[in-house]
């Protein structure tokens, strides 16, 4: 008779995500995961298959949370410039509050660049951010907030690239004045 699973999968994924986020993929061993999740190796393999598969699940969870937050900011603001400023400020505050964590997508891109599964997932996450931003910029353009001669997709690509860069700069703790100047310039691209 098969044993029933005695742990909460979603909680385990969240705990694993935080461990990977703190330590990185390569620096997190199977033993670290078993200890963090308080499970045995049999339960681990039955639930997640492998360290790589669990990492992908944690990355999916992280991306889902980040994109949900991004959509709330962009959809909830009265005007696109304030929404973009709020979005960038929230990322900066997060990175300044916990500079050692940074962005899990950026960490994956830099630490796992030689892994095809990582490159594919990072690319997908970046394209999703671009899509979310492009949609918000297209809606703003339709409302007359952005000039008709601007290309929302190109602006979205610039802002997506800027977001990834600001995550690294925020983690590097270069200071508020530095990032504030960069954010002001980024927002002016919408003029």
């Amino acid at each position: 008779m098969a044993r029933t699973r005695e742990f909460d999968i979603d909680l385990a994924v969240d705990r694993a995500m935080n461990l990977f986020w703190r330590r990185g993929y390569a620096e997190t061993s199977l033993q670290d995961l078993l200890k963090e999740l308080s499970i045995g190796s049999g339960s681990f393999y039955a639930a997640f298959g492998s360290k790589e598969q669990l990492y992908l699940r944690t990355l999916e969870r992280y991306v889902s949370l980040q994109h949900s937050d991004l959509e709330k900011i962009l959809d909830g603001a009265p005007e696109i410039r304030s929404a973009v400023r709020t979005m960038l400020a929230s990322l900066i505050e997060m990175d300044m509050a916990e500079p050692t964590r940074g962005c899990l997508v950026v960490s994956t891109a830099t630490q796992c660049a030689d892994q095809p599964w990582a490159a594919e997932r990072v690319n997908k996450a970046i394209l999703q951010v671009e899509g979310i931003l492009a949609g918000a910029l297209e809606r703003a353009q339709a409302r007359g907030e952005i000039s008709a001669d601007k290309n929302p997709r190109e602006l979205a690509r610039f802002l997506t690239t800027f977001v990834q860069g600001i995550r690294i700069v925020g983690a590097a703790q270069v200071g508020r004045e530095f990032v504030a100047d960069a954010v002001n310039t980024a927002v002016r691209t919408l003029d």
Side-chain angles (χ1 to χ4, degrees):
M1 179 163 118
R3 290 181 49 184
T4 58
R5 190 173 289 137
E6 298 177 9
F7 65 97
D8 182 326
I9 292 284
D10 292 333
L11 179 61
V13 170
D14 284 345
R15 291 179 74 188
M17 177 180 69
N18 284 316
L19 182 62
F20 282 129
W21 204 355
R22 285 191 318 269
R23 299 192 63 192
Y25 177 76
E27 296 300 317
T28 302
S29 70
L30 177 59
Q31 289 305 313
D32 296 331
L33 288 164
L34 296 178
K35 183 179 177 184
E36 182 73 19
L37 304 180
S38 301
I39 61 174
S41 59
S43 294
F44 177 87
Y45 288 116
F48 305 114
S50 68
K51 175 183 161 182
E52 177 185 306
Q53 288 174 323
L54 175 56
Y55 189 81
L56 283 170
R57 278 182 83 166
T58 66
L59 192 55
E60 289 294 330
R61 173 86 171 129
Y62 174 85
V63 167
S64 174
L65 292 169
Q66 294 293 306
H67 292 176
S68 176
D69 289 347
L70 177 60
E71 288 172 331
K72 284 178 192 170
I73 290 170
L74 293 173
D75 292 343
E79 185 272 325
I80 193 67
R81 284 167 190 76
S82 65
V84 168
R85 186 176 298 283
T86 299
M87 171 194 70
L88 296 172
S90 71
L91 296 174
I92 291 164
E93 288 306 316
M94 186 176 7
D95 291 337
M96 288 187 158
E98 294 186 83
T100 58
R101 284 173 59 126
C103 173
L104 192 57
V105 173
V106 171
S107 296
T108 303
T110 58
Q111 296 172 10
C112 305
D114 59 338
Q115 302 292 326
W117 57 266
E120 180 182 312
R121 187 56 193 102
V122 166
N123 186 46
K124 182 179 173 186
I126 288 170
L127 292 176
Q128 287 172 318
V129 170
E130 176 204 5
I132 293 167
L133 284 166
L137 293 165
E138 287 165 0
R139 290 188 299 276
Q141 191 173 52
R143 292 188 306 264
E145 295 176 37
I146 297 175
S147 171
D149 67 338
K150 298 276 186 177
N151 183 321
R153 181 69 54 183
E154 289 175 4
L155 289 171
R157 288 181 175 165
F158 165 75
L159 289 171
T160 301
T161 303
F162 184 81
V163 163
Q164 300 312 314
I166 205 75
R167 302 303 309 261
I168 293 168
V169 169
Q173 301 180 36
V174 296
R176 290 191 186 283
E177 183 180 346
F178 185 97
V179 292
D181 288 346
V183 167
N184 288 337
T185 301
V187 171
R188 280 196 302 271
T189 64
L190 304 177
D191 292 342

